């Protein structure tokens, strides 16, 4: 009934479901920053995306809203407290462009190693798993097959997420 980390070996257990063009684990999470009373989204870019390369360990890319609120510029250091209470200091490698601020203002993009250290995630777990399906007419069939292969998981379709956003 509640959200839990996904074992990375679920990618193998899913196997080859017909119609799936890509499958990968994601790492993302929320962090409340008491210094400015804001919630940030921390994200490791997917390895399949050339547009969003993973920052080097010790570096972070942040949204313009975070930079403005905390008075940060490229080259400065951002210090945060990890989920275990340990301070983590990351060098600002990039600030997302103003044109993307609507979706990136509270976003932090960091390396997998820094993300796992920050949240205390074990190496064999991911936040969730994404399946991309070539034919949109097959999405529900793929979701049903996934439910059979991994009965403890809950497939969430893009249309369900969009419907939730519309309701909000």
């Amino acid at each position: 009934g509640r959200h839990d980390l996904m074992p990375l070996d679920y990618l193998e257990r899913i196997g080859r479901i017909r119609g799936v063009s890509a499958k990968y684990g994601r790492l993302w999470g929320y962090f409340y920053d008491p210094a400015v009373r804001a919630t940030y989204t921390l994200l490791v870019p997917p390895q399949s995306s050339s547009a969003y390369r993973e920052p080097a360990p010790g570096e972070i890319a942040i949204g313009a809203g975070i930079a403005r609120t905390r008075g940060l510029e490229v080259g400065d250091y951002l210090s945060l407290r990890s989920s275990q209470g340990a301070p983590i200091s990351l060098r600002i490698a990039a600030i997302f462009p103003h044109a993307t601020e609507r979706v990136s203002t509270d976003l932090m993009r960091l390396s997998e190693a820094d993300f796992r250290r920050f949240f205390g995630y074990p190496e064999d777990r991911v936040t969730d798993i994404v399946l991309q399906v070539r034919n949109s007419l097959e999405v529900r069939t793929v979701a049903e097959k996934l439910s059979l292969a991994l009965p403890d998981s809950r497939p969430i379709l893009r249309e369900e997420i969009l419907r939730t956003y519309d309701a909000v």
Side-chain angles (χ1 to χ4, degrees), residues 66-87:
I66 299 168
R68 217 177 13 259
T69 302
R70 287 182 141 246
L72 298 169
E73 295 181 15
V74 172
D76 290 345
Y77 282 84
L78 172 65
S79 293
L80 303 170
R81 278 215 188 274
S82 75
S83 62
Q84 296 82 27

Side-chain angles (χ1 to χ4, degrees), residues 11-90:
L11 288 170
E12 286 94 41
R13 285 184 54 194
I14 291 169
R16 294 188 44 86
I17 297 177
R18 192 175 158 131
V20 174
S21 58
K23 60 182 178 180
Y24 55 91
R26 292 191 307 180
L27 292 169
W28 61 272
Y30 298 116
F31 169 73
Y32 177 73
D33 184 0
V36 293
R37 292 190 229 156
T39 300
Y40 305 137
T41 302
L42 282 72
L43 170 74
V44 175
Q47 293 175 343
S48 61
S49 174
S50 61
Y52 300 108
R53 73 165 184 82
E54 181 177 307
E59 294 186 341
I60 193 166
I62 62 172
I66 299 168
R68 217 177 13 259
T69 302
R70 287 182 141 246
L72 298 169
E73 295 181 15
V74 172
D76 290 345
Y77 282 84
L78 172 65
S79 293
L80 303 170
R81 278 215 188 274
S82 75
S83 62
Q84 296 82 27
I88 294 180
S89 188
L90 302 166

Side-chain angles (χ1 to χ4, degrees), residues 98-110:
H98 179 68
T100 67
E101 195 166 352
R102 188 170 186 196
V103 294
S104 69
T105 197
D106 65 347
L107 181 63
M108 296 181 174
R109 196 171 66 208
L110 66 168

Side-chain angles (χ1 to χ4, degrees), residues 29 54 100 103 123 145 157 163:
E54 181 177 307
T100 67
V103 294
E123 293 291 322
K145 289 180 181 180
L157 306 180
R163 194 170 43 247

